[in-house]
Amino acid sequence: MPPGLSRFGIIRELVTQLYRIAVEDEWISDPRRRALIRREPVLIAAHAAATERAIIEAREFIAAYLGVNPDDFGLRVFIGAVGGAMSTIAQGDAENPHGDGGLDELLRAVDLLECGLPVGS
């Protein structure tokens, strides 16, 4: 991670890198696989657990980068807001998770968070 990024800069960098990895991996980006994960109860539970682990790891990484405690209330709220936004955008296009506007929409969501969540723009 390049030094000196803001917390939103870190998120943009992570989202971009992870998105590119997912797009290049046919297994990760397979819409049939994603649909199955959303349909089968045991896979839903496993996906939720993996997502929770990823959120904790991201919080710890960002805390270390920013030099704050991983349990900092502001950081926890920030990670929750970002995670919720990313999840909502990613699930909004389940049939075409990496199609038109995928990364652009994720980064637009980060921009909206950074601007204080203006609505109607």
Side-chain angles (χ1 to χ4, degrees):
M1 193 68 49
L5 295 175
S6 70
R7 64 181 191 250
F8 288 102
I10 296 167
I11 296 300
R12 284 185 191 91
E13 190 67 27
L14 287 173
V15 166
T16 300
Q17 289 180 20
L18 291 172
Y19 185 88
R20 289 184 178 144
I21 290 168
V23 168
E24 292 173 6
D25 188 317
E26 290 180 25
W27 182 75
I28 291 173
S29 60
D30 183 348
R32 294 170 300 184
R33 176 186 158 276
R34 292 174 50 90
L36 185 63
I37 290 170
R38 289 193 175 104
R39 190 173 55 244
E40 295 296 324
V42 70
L43 295 177
I44 291 169
H47 185 261
T51 299
E52 181 64 27
R53 281 191 307 276
I55 290 169
I56 291 168
E57 289 173 6
R59 188 176 80 206
E60 290 171 350
F61 174 81
I62 293 169
Y65 183 92
L66 296 174
V68 300
N69 186 315
D71 294 324
D72 178 82
F73 181 74
L75 179 62
R76 291 184 1 240
V77 171
F78 173 72
I79 296 297
V82 169
M86 297 298 101
S87 178
T88 299
I89 298 302
Q91 290 180 20
D93 191 10
E95 293 302 312
N96 191 9
H98 303 296
D100 297 331
L103 179 58
D104 290 339
E105 283 191 3
L106 292 168
L107 295 176
R108 262 183 66 210
V110 175
D111 292 343
L112 283 174
L113 289 168
E114 188 173 30
C115 291
L117 295 174
V119 176
S121 57

